[in-house]
C-alpha cells in the first residue's frame, strides 16, 4: 500500500509541467503553441532560449531522480532485498515519466519523457546513464537533431542493459526495451519530420557551419 502511494506521488512529481509553467509565468505564452508544440526542454530552448531550456532540462531531469529515489522514505526499506528495491525504483520512475508525458497539472498534454527518463536512469544505474549521454552527444554532434539523439540514446539504454551490463533482473531487461520503444513512440511526429526534411536542428556546434 505504501508503495502504491509512493508511485502516485511519483506520478504527481512527474506531472509538474516545467516548460508550460515557465512559458506562462514569465512569457505569457503556452510553449505548446510554439515551435514543435512539445512541452519539453528542447522546445523551450528553441522558443525561449538556452537559459530557460537548460532550466527546464535540469528540473525535468530532477523530477526523474527525485521520484525514482522516493523509496528511501519507506519504513523498514532495509528489510527488502535489492531485487525488490530495483523493481520499486522502476515503478516509481515510470510513474514520473508517465506524469511528464500525461501531466495532471497541464491537461494531460506533456512532453516526450526524455529528460525525466534520463533522471530515472541516473538514479537507478548512473554508469549506464553515462553511455546514454555519450550516444546522445555524438548523434547530436553529427546530426543536430535532438529527437534522433534522444531515440538512439533510448536504444543505447536497452543495448546496455541487455548486452553490455547483462543485467539479470528480468523486469529491468523488459523495462529497458520498453524505454526504447516508449521514446520512439513519443517521437512519431519527429520521425515524420526527419523523413520529410522539416525537422529543425538545434543551433549548437555552430563552428561546424563556418
Ligand atoms: O526530448 C524531446 C526531444 O527529443 C525532441 O523535442 O521539441 O524537437 O520535438 P522537439
Amino acid at each position: 500500500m505504501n508503495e502504491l502511494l509512493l508511485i502516485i506521488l511519483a506520478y504527481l512529481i512527474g506531472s509538474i509541467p516545467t516548460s508550460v509553467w515557465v512559458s506562462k509565468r514569465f512569457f505569457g505564452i503556452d510553449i505548446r503553441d510554439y515551435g514543435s508544440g512539445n512541452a519539453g526542454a528542447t522546445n523551450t530552448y528553441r522558443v525561449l532560449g538556452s537559459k530557460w531550456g537548460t532550466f527546464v532540462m535540469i528540473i525535468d531531469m530532477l523530477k526523474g531522480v527525485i521520484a525514482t529515489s522516493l523509496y528511501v522514505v519507506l519504513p523498514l526499506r532495509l528489510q527488502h532485498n535489492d531485487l525488490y528495491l530495483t523493481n520499486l525504483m522502476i515503478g516509481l520512475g515510470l510513474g514520473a515519466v508517465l506524469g511528464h508525458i500525461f501531466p495532471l497539472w497541464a491537461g494531460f498534454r506533456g512532453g516526450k519523457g526524455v529528460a525525466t527518463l534520463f533522471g530515472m536512469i541516473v538514479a537507478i544505474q548512473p554508469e549506464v546513464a553515462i553511455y546514454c549521454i555519450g550516444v546522445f552527444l555524438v548523434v547530436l554532434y553529427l546530426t543536430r537533431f535532438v529527437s534522433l539523439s534522444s531515440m538512439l540514446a533510448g536504444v543505447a539504454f536497452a543495448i546496455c542493459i541487455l548486452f553490455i551490463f547483462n543485467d539479470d533482473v528480468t523486469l529491468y531487461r523488459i523495462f529497458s526495451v520498453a524505454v526504447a520503444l516508449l521514446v520512439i513512440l513519443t517521437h512519431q511526429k519527429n520521425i515524420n519530420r526527419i523523413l520529410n526534411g522539416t525537422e529543425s536542428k538545434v543551433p549548437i556546434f555552430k563552428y561546424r557551419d563556418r
Side-chain angles (χ1 to χ4, degrees), residues 34-44 46 100 111-115 136 145-151 183 186-187 189-190 193 199-200 202:
Y34 294 84
S36 68
N38 189 50
T42 309
N43 203 32
T44 305
R46 185 182 289 125
H100 181 83
K112 292 171 182 164
V114 176
F136 180 91
F145 289 136
V146 178
S147 53
L148 188 61
S149 311
S150 302
M151 286 186 274
V183 175
T186 57
H187 283 80
K189 287 182 183 163
N190 302 84
R193 286 197 293 264
E199 177 74 334
S200 65
V202 286

Side-chain angles (χ1 to χ4, degrees), residues 154-155 157-159 161-162 171-181:
V155 171
F157 174 64
I159 291 173
I161 301 308
L162 295 178
L171 186 64
Y172 197 35
R173 293 171 72 86
I174 295 171
F175 162 71
S176 71
V177 176
V179 162
L181 292 176

Side-chain angles (χ1 to χ4, degrees), residues 8 12 17 61 99 109 210:
I8 292 171
L12 294 177
M61 269 175 48
R109 284 198 302 129
R210 281 184 200 146

Side-chain angles (χ1 to χ4, degrees), residues 45-80:
Y45 180 99
R46 185 182 289 125
V47 177
L48 305 178
S50 57
K51 189 180 79 177
W52 288 108
T54 305
F55 176 78
V56 169
M57 183 185 67
I58 291 171
I59 301 296
D60 285 352
M61 269 175 48
L62 281 178
K63 292 191 310 189
V65 173
I66 292 168
T68 307
S69 306
L70 278 178
Y71 72 92
V72 297
V73 306
L74 270 187
L76 304 178
R77 66 179 184 281
L78 294 179
Q79 289 178 10
H80 293 300

Side-chain angles (χ1 to χ4, degrees), residues 11 14-25 27-48 56 60 63 99-112 189 193:
Y11 166 78
S15 276
I16 295 170
T18 321
S19 59
V20 174
W21 283 355
V22 160
S23 63
K24 286 188 174 173
R25 173 71 181 80
F27 297 88
I29 62 167
D30 186 330
I31 192 75
R32 295 169 295 186
D33 296 332
Y34 294 84
S36 68
N38 189 50
T42 309
N43 203 32
T44 305
Y45 180 99
R46 185 182 289 125
V47 177
L48 305 178
V56 169
D60 285 352
K63 292 191 310 189
H100 181 83
I101 299 173
F102 305 107
L104 180 66
W105 321 116
F108 301 99
R109 284 198 302 129
K112 292 171 182 164
K189 287 182 183 163
R193 286 197 293 264

